[in-house]
Amino acid sequence: MSVIKVEGLSKVFGKNTKEALKLLDQGKSKEEILKETGCTVGVNRASFEVEAGEVFVIMGLSGSGKSTLVRLLNRLIEPTEGSVFVDQEDLAKVDKNILRRVRREKMSMVFQKFALFPHRSILENAEFGLEIQGIEKEERSKKAKESLDLVGLGDYIHQYPEQLSGGMQQRVGLARALANDPDVLLMDEAFSALDPLIRKDMQDELLDLQESMQKTIIFITHDLDEALRIGDRIALMKDGKIVQIGSPEEILVNPANEYVERFVQDVDRSKVLTAEHIMKRPATINIEKHGPRVALEIMKEEGLSSIYVTDSKRNLKGYVTADDASEARKNEIRDLNKILKTDVPTVTKDTSMHDIFEVIHNSPVPIAVVEDGKLLGIIVRGAVIAALVGEGEVKIDNA
Amino acid sequence: MLDFIAKIPIAEFIEWLTDQITDTFSFLFNPIKNQFGDFMEWVADSLSAIPPIIVIIIVAALAFWVSGKKFGLAAFSIVGLWLIYNQGFWEELMFTLTLVIISSVLSVIIGVPFGILMSKSKTAENIITPILDFMQTMPAFVYLIPAVAFFSIGMVPGVFASLIFATPPTVRFTNLGIRQVSKELVEASEAFGSTGSQKLFKVELPMAKSTIMAGINQTVMLSLSMVVIASMIGAPGLGREVLSALQRAQVGTGFVAGIGIVILAIIIDRFTQNLNTKNAN
Ligand SMILES: Nc1ncnc2c1ncn2[C@@H]1O[C@H](COP(=O)(O)OP(=O)(O)O)[C@@H](O)[C@H]1O
Ligand SMILES: [Mg+2]
């Protein structure tokens, strides 16, 4: 189900917006419109839907309209044209009271330069949204503390923003946004002001939080690496227009046009991409419940020649091949352990493409991505090649 | 060549206008003059009734506290106030203090809302700015004339003249302070669904506080200077001592009363400044 649906959303800055929209219809460029009308096109007819629980990344160079677009979603900037549907309600048309309610209960925002209130303690900052809603002191500080605990700042509640490092400040920003328990998080270059290592930590932490909280996140960035790491889908913007929307793989492998291609070319794929980016959800069987018969059935259904075997807790046990399984069925062997192969090629989710390539080269089966013995996903050869080559010739097959 | 038209009767017009205002609003001015005048007398008398030693101790203790537990200002207050007492100007000091405090408080009460209005509306800003410029550049003495017309002589017209002269910095700095609040913070408060007044009271005013306090500091200092000038229309206090010394060419007395004003000015200035930095931390 889509949480946010954007239709033909535009923003033109300036006085003569009608004229500018007309010129947009005629297909004039942002530059031409600026010259002719003095208006700046911020966002040009953006349309997309964001699904519940999705991390939707909006990426583009500086000035491409990302900040404007995200501010149109909660109407910090008034749209010139178009609709933003949140729960069937067109935010572009609702009155102030409804808009305020949506901002209070459904959408929270995290800012590039943190935008913490320097005169408020960390706790008071995290409480801000709840305070605005008029929630009792006791309840709001309880919720704010929970939220600060979540981002690992439970011990800092009485400090002030200036006493914390940048990374910690942005955690407070995140906690402040989460304290409201919103459905949607809007994050405008939330990690761009942080230095690279801390930035990576924050990305990981956001992904962890996302796994447990299942918010819908709209994340703005100008950094492809970041977009690839955290995005379920990525929208690429240029001059206010969305030029491509797709999964990270799609963007890398099938750039929609030259602009996207140039963006993508700058990325050294073998460095940027890790196992995590190209792994797929595996088909598995459970050694505690299933025998060779079920294994064979699933392999047939999915068109596989081998399948990974786990226990109920997703701990990786090994794999069985289709040949062994059908042999076992003929001989009426019920126990998977008899045919289990344990020479599994494994990598961790942070293994680089380059290293993956070495491993997969001599492996008869897809590689398993494991963490603490648990199977996170699998990588098939096609995906590695596609990502390394970076051209549309090799299709990623869905293993 | 330049005499193509007879002298334009601006002065006559202003006189006429003042008369009109006096007549029309006398129902308002008279009770203000009487009751407000009585109130100020009462405040000044009450202050004078407190034994000077107690006042000095309280001021010194407050000085110690506002200056962040340093002794400088407290010591200066003790010596300075004692000197004024020693010179026999204690009661005058209390009158001056009353005038300054009351005019400043009124200036702030009037000035801050206008500053907020200015910060929220470009139109208001465009209208109010030239008025403020006018109020501040007009020589302070000029305000004494309508003040007398409206409120006769004494403390009340003194406060009136002081309001006109001393309010502008508070208005300007409030406007400036609010406009200086970073755009991201304003956005943050809006993004969380603040109403206009929540935004104002929870974010803008607290963030603008130190700028507003700088304006208030100026307002207080201007009030003090106006209160001295207002002695010309019968406002009591240290200013009147300076004036009468001037009229009788008593250099010594004039100097001593002047020193009293300087001491008061320094104490008030440091107090408001220190309060400001204290708040900022
Ligand atoms: N308030 C504004 N008034 C006029 N032009 C603006 C305003 N805000 C943004 N713009 C213009 O809109 C375009 C998109 O800006 P922005 O959304 O900030 O880009 P990004 O966040 O991708 O860097 C830019 O050309 C910028 O100059
Ligand atoms: Mg931006």
Side-chain angles (χ1 to χ4, degrees), chain A residues 67 112 188-189:
Chain A
S67 294
Q112 176 167 10
D188 185 8
E189 307 228 13

Side-chain angles (χ1 to χ4, degrees), chain A residues 69-119:
Chain A
L69 178 54
V70 77
R71 279 164 178 72
L72 290 172
L73 300 183
N74 63 357
R75 227 172 96 184
L76 282 179
I77 295 178
E78 286 292 329
T80 312
E81 203 183 73
S83 306
V84 179
F85 291 100
V86 175
D87 293 349
Q88 329 303 331
E89 233 166 359
D90 185 358
L91 280 198
K93 303 209 169 58
V94 299
D95 66 29
K96 280 227 156 64
N97 290 322
I98 298 178
L99 179 63
R100 216 175 280 139
R101 207 196 63 224
V102 170
R103 286 174 178 177
R104 287 177 179 188
E105 292 165 11
K106 296 203 175 136
M107 286 186 182
S108 290
M109 195 158 178
V110 182
F111 295 83
Q112 176 167 10
K113 292 185 200 121
F114 322 139
L116 299 180
F117 302 115
H119 61 289

Side-chain angles (χ1 to χ4, degrees), chain A residues 71 76 100 103-104 108 111-113 115-119 128-129 131-132 176 180, chain B residues 183-196 198-199 202-203 206-207:
Chain A
R71 279 164 178 72
L76 282 179
R100 216 175 280 139
R103 286 174 178 177
R104 287 177 179 188
S108 290
F111 295 83
Q112 176 167 10
K113 292 185 200 121
L116 299 180
F117 302 115
H119 61 289
F128 185 80
E131 188 180 322
I132 290 296
R176 177 175 68 178
N180 279 10
Chain B
K183 189 168 158 269
E184 261 203 335
L185 289 186
V186 174
E187 273 192 334
S189 81
E190 279 173 0
F192 283 99
S194 296
T195 60
Q198 283 175 326
K199 185 170 72 174
K202 288 184 194 293
V203 178
M207 293 302 301

Side-chain angles (χ1 to χ4, degrees), chain B residues 40 95-104 155 158-159 227 235-236:
Chain B
M40 291 212 297
F95 270 93
T96 302
L97 193 61
T98 305
L99 276 161
V100 171
I101 291 174
I102 289 178
S103 349
S104 307
M155 290 208 271
V159 169
V227 155

Side-chain angles (χ1 to χ4, degrees), chain B residues 5 8 15 22 137 154 157-158 202 229 232 245 248 251:
Chain B
I5 184 170
I8 304 169
E15 236 147 75
T22 314
T137 41
K202 288 184 194 293
I229 295 170
M232 294 167 77
R248 292 176 218 149
V251 183

Side-chain angles (χ1 to χ4, degrees), chain B residues 2 37 55-56 69 75 99 121 141 171 181 200 218 222 258 272:
Chain B
L2 293 173
V55 174
I56 293 176
K69 310 231 157 51
L99 276 161
S121 147
F141 297 99
V171 181
V181 176
L200 183 67
Q218 284 194 15
L222 288 180
T272 49

Side-chain angles (χ1 to χ4, degrees), chain B residues 163-216:
Chain B
L163 282 186
I164 298 178
F165 185 63
T167 306
T170 295
V171 181
R172 277 188 214 282
F173 279 70
T174 303
N175 174 38
L176 182 71
I178 293 177
R179 285 183 185 270
Q180 272 176 346
V181 176
S182 92
K183 189 168 158 269
E184 261 203 335
L185 289 186
V186 174
E187 273 192 334
S189 81
E190 279 173 0
F192 283 99
S194 296
T195 60
S197 63
Q198 283 175 326
K199 185 170 72 174
L200 183 67
F201 288 107
K202 288 184 194 293
V203 178
E204 290 174 321
L205 286 179
M207 293 302 301
K209 192 153 74 182
S210 69
T211 309
I212 296 175
M213 285 301 291
I216 290 177

